[in-house]
Structure formats: C-alpha cells, structure tokens
C-alpha cells in the first residue's frame, strides 16, 4: 500500500526542514501516469508492426509519397505522433490541477489515456475517420483539465491578496501605480 504523500525535505547542512504536503487523493494521479506509459508502448508497438507489415523503412517517419500502403501506415504513425504531441502537457496539467482537484484530475487523466488507446486502435484500422471515438473520449479528459486549470488561474488572479501583490510588484519594478 502506498505511503501518504507527506515529505520532509532536509539536507545534512540545512538549518531547517521543509515539510511538503499533498492533498488527500493526489496519489491517484499516478495511476493515469503509469497507464499512459503502457498506452505509449501500445502505440509504439503498433508503429513497429506497421513498419514491418507495410514495408516502411527508417529513417522515414511516414511512408514515402506514392507508397502503395502509405495511408494505412501513416494512420498508425499519426496516431502515435498526435498522442506524443499532447501527452506531456496533459500529464503536467493533470498533476498541477491535482494539487487543487486531485480526484477530478486523476479521473480526467484516466479518461484521456483510455481515449488515446481507443484513438490509436481506431486510427490503425486504416481509415482516418475511425479515430473519432477515441478523439472524443480523449477530450472528455483533456477539456476538463483545461477547465480546472483556467478556474484555478482565475481564482489566483482574482484573489485580493494576489491583486495587492501584483500591484506592489508593478509599482516597485515598473513604477506603475495600478
């Protein structure tokens, strides 16, 4: 069973320790993270198999123009590439918003990962339209993460203490009176 996510950071030469606490349920965010690695390996294996099946050689990222099975292979490769384009930002956003909404962030991360499995499987069938169900399921995950991040940012900007801090910074460093 996992240990609670409370850590005390202290170096041998430090005069004081720093206690770092994470909200209850934050560890759930590690489940979609771990599953996302399995999802990435699944997509990678699909590309490797596609290279062999459709005879697309390295260093070509995609099938060369005019390749007889180019569209079929490119669908497989595109599913992987498209996932790689969003994977880091989705996971970073999940962990960031998980500090405020841990369970919702983990569930949204799980929906995104599940969607990417479906997306990759559907796209690999060789018809770009078959990616749509997985794409929609992925957005059931990433859109809520974006919404939660925006809500957190809005609350931070509208907080009176932060407004005072920003005004003080503007006055001190830019000579602006806001």
């Amino acid at each position: 069973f996992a240990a609670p996510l409370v850590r005390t950071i202290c170096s041998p030469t430090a005069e004081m320790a720093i206690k770092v606490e994470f909200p209850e349920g934050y560890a759930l965010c590690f489940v979609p993270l771990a599953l996302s690695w399995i999802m990435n390996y699944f997509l990678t294996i699909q590309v490797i198999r596609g290279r062999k099946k459709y005879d697309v050689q390295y260093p070509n990222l995609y099938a060369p123009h005019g390749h007889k099975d180019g569209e079929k292979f490119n669908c497989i490769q595109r599913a992987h590439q498209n996932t790689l384009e969003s994977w880091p930002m989705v996971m970073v956003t999940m962990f960031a918003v998980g500090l405020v909404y841990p369970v919702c962030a983990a569930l949204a991360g799980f929906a995104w990962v599940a969607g990417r499995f479906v997306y990759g499987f559907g796209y690999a069938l060789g018809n770009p339209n078959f990616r749509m169900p997985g794409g929609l399921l992925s957005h059931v995950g990433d859109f809520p993460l974006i919404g939660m991040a925006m809500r957190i940012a809005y609350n931070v900007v509208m907080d009176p203490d932060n407004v005072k801090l920003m005004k003080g910074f503007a006055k001190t460093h830019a000579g602006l009176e806001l």
Side-chain angles (χ1 to χ4, degrees):
F1 197 73
L5 288 174
V6 176
R7 302 286 182 254
T8 300
I9 301 169
C10 184
S11 72
T13 58
E15 293 184 22
M16 66 182 219
I18 301 171
K19 185 176 181 181
V20 179
E21 292 186 6
F22 296 93
E24 183 178 351
Y26 187 75
L28 292 170
C29 292
F30 287 88
V31 174
L33 176 66
L35 292 173
S36 75
W37 281 97
I38 295 168
M39 173 267 309
N40 184 53
Y41 290 133
F42 166 73
L43 296 174
T44 300
I45 290 167
Q46 283 192 297
V47 172
I48 292 167
R49 287 179 167 172
R51 282 191 180 282
K52 289 180 182 176
K53 181 177 181 179
Y54 299 118
D55 193 33
V56 176
Q57 302 300 313
Y58 285 106
N60 296 317
L61 185 58
Y62 292 96
H65 182 70
H67 189 286
K68 67 182 177 90
D69 293 312
E71 184 172 9
K72 291 177 184 174
F73 174 76
N74 289 347
C75 284
I76 297 168
Q77 178 68 308
R78 189 67 200 128
H80 189 220
Q81 286 299 118
N82 182 265
T83 299
L84 292 176
E85 291 164 6
S86 58
W87 185 20
M89 198 64 187
V90 170
M91 291 293 111
V92 166
T93 303
M94 178 188 67
F95 277 103
V97 302
L99 293 168
V100 178
Y101 306 111
V103 176
C104 290
L107 290 172
F110 178 78
W112 183 83
V113 171
R116 297 324 287 186
F117 272 110
V118 174
Y119 181 86
F121 180 78
Y123 215 164
L125 294 174
N127 182 337
N129 292 327
F130 294 163
R131 76 190 192 283
M132 294 305 208
L136 292 172
L137 181 55
S138 295
H139 290 316
V140 168
D142 62 9
F143 286 171
L145 289 171
I146 293 166
M148 287 183 273
M150 299 260 186
R151 180 184 171 120
I152 294 166
Y154 175 81
N155 289 339
V156 166
V157 169
M158 298 309 290
D159 179 74
D161 291 334
N162 289 331
V163 170
K164 183 179 175 183
L165 181 68
M166 289 185 286
K167 285 181 177 181
F169 180 86
K171 183 177 182 181
T172 303
H173 297 289
L176 298 173
E177 188 71 44
L178 301 176

